[in-house]
Amino acid sequence: QVQLVQSGAEVKKPGASVKVSCRASGYTFTDYYIHWVRRAPGQGLEWMGWINPNNGGSDFAQKFQGRVTMTRDTSISTAYMELSRLGSDDTALYYCARLPSRRYYYDSWGQGTMVTVSS
Amino acid sequence: EIVLTQSPATLSLSPGDRATLSCRASQSVGTYLAWYQQKPGQAPRLLIYDASNRATGVPARFSGSGSGTDFTLTISSLEPDDFAFYYCQQRSNWRFGQGTKVEIK
């Protein structure tokens, strides 16, 4: 079955960077875009961006431009999201999600990775 | 940029009640609208896509309707497991509405 398994919780200091991984199994990794979505405490779901695992192409919400990098390693079917210059408002649960071809909705999600930014 | 506005922010209801959640788009999205449910500590789960199609395994008490700019998610008779957050999402830029919390009255 399709599974997206994310890396464990992280605690970072303000100004640091964090890199979250999302390991895919149960399907051909390069056939589906991976999107990243976060949910800060008391807030709703916020779309961050996507990566095309086939060619590494990516795009991000303007809010995160210059601060986020999305990469992948096809040899281990894993996508990565790195967020730099962390602030307290980056404290959130970060999710990866799979986007089926020619669809706009996500059919499978990772379990979430809690990132806490605190001095 | 299309913006989705959900209402109400919080819906306080009892098990067995009917829940009606609204999602309004700032411009037409046709029927390209999805609904998700999120419970505490869990990832979101797809409920409805293309405004009115239930995802695999979603109970029949969940239904979606609407087109253009106005959409509704209806839960015909709330089960204890349905108390959660609900989000709508549109196609043009994958953005979500701000969510509706359905809580026990």
Side-chain angles (χ1 to χ4, degrees):
Chain A
Q1 74 282 19
V2 173
Q3 271 197 304
L4 298 174
V5 179
Q6 297 183 224
S7 48
E10 302 263 12
V11 179
K12 295 291 182 181
K13 294 195 181 303
S17 298
V18 68
K19 190 171 185 177
V20 179
S21 67
C22 172
R23 187 181 78 247
S25 62
Y27 71 97
T28 302
F29 178 61
T30 50
D31 283 353
Y32 295 81
Y33 282 40
I34 292 289
H35 286 227
W36 290 89
V37 175
R38 74 180 187 180
R39 184 178 178 187
Q43 304 294 314
L45 297 174
E46 182 176 30
W47 180 80
M48 298 182 68
W50 57 258
I51 182 167
N52 178 351
N54 187 46
N55 59 17
S58 59
D59 194 17
F60 319 115
Q62 190 165 13
K63 172 178 181 176
F64 300 103
Q65 295 277 357
R67 213 162 62 90
V68 70
T69 306
M70 294 182 186
T71 57
R72 92 291 190 214
D73 184 339
T74 57
S75 68
I76 56 171
S77 299
T78 299
Y80 301 92
M81 186 283 300
E82 184 170 17
L83 190 61
S84 62
R85 303 195 302 277
L86 292 169
S88 57
D89 57 350
D90 291 315
T91 293
L93 257 172
Y94 289 77
Y95 295 98
C96 60
R98 187 181 85 155
L99 190 78
S101 177
R102 293 187 295 278
R103 299 288 184 264
Y104 59 93
Y105 47 84
Y106 308 120
D107 67 349
S108 186
W109 295 70
Q111 83 277 17
T113 296
M114 185 67 209
V115 175
T116 302
V117 183
S118 174
S119 54
Chain B
E1 176 179 307
I2 297 176
V3 175
L4 296 177
T5 302
Q6 291 186 240
S7 62
T10 303
L11 204 48
S12 298
L13 296 169
S14 301
D17 286 349
R18 181 183 186 89
T20 303
L21 288 68
S22 173
C23 177
R24 177 164 290 180
S26 59
Q27 56 187 282
S28 177
V29 297
T31 57
Y32 294 115
L33 189 101
W35 290 93
Y36 297 85
Q37 176 194 65
Q38 187 176 31
K39 300 176 190 175
Q42 296 185 19
R45 168 198 178 195
L46 178 67
L47 294 177
I48 301 286
Y49 62 93
D50 294 345
S52 60
N53 295 294
R54 272 190 302 276
T56 303
V58 174
R61 63 181 181 273
F62 292 92
S63 64
S65 63
S67 65
T69 59
D70 289 297
F71 300 86
T72 300
L73 175 69
T74 301
I75 311 170
S76 59
S77 178
L78 281 164
E79 299 275 336
D81 195 45
D82 300 337
F83 291 92
F85 285 88
Y86 293 84
Y87 297 92
C88 55
Q89 181 198 28
Q90 45 88 9
R91 185 179 82 159
S92 75
N93 57 13
W94 304 286
R95 301 306 200 269
F96 299 88
Q98 78 277 27
T100 290
K101 180 182 181 181
V102 178
E103 65 176 21
I104 299 177
K105 187 174 182 180

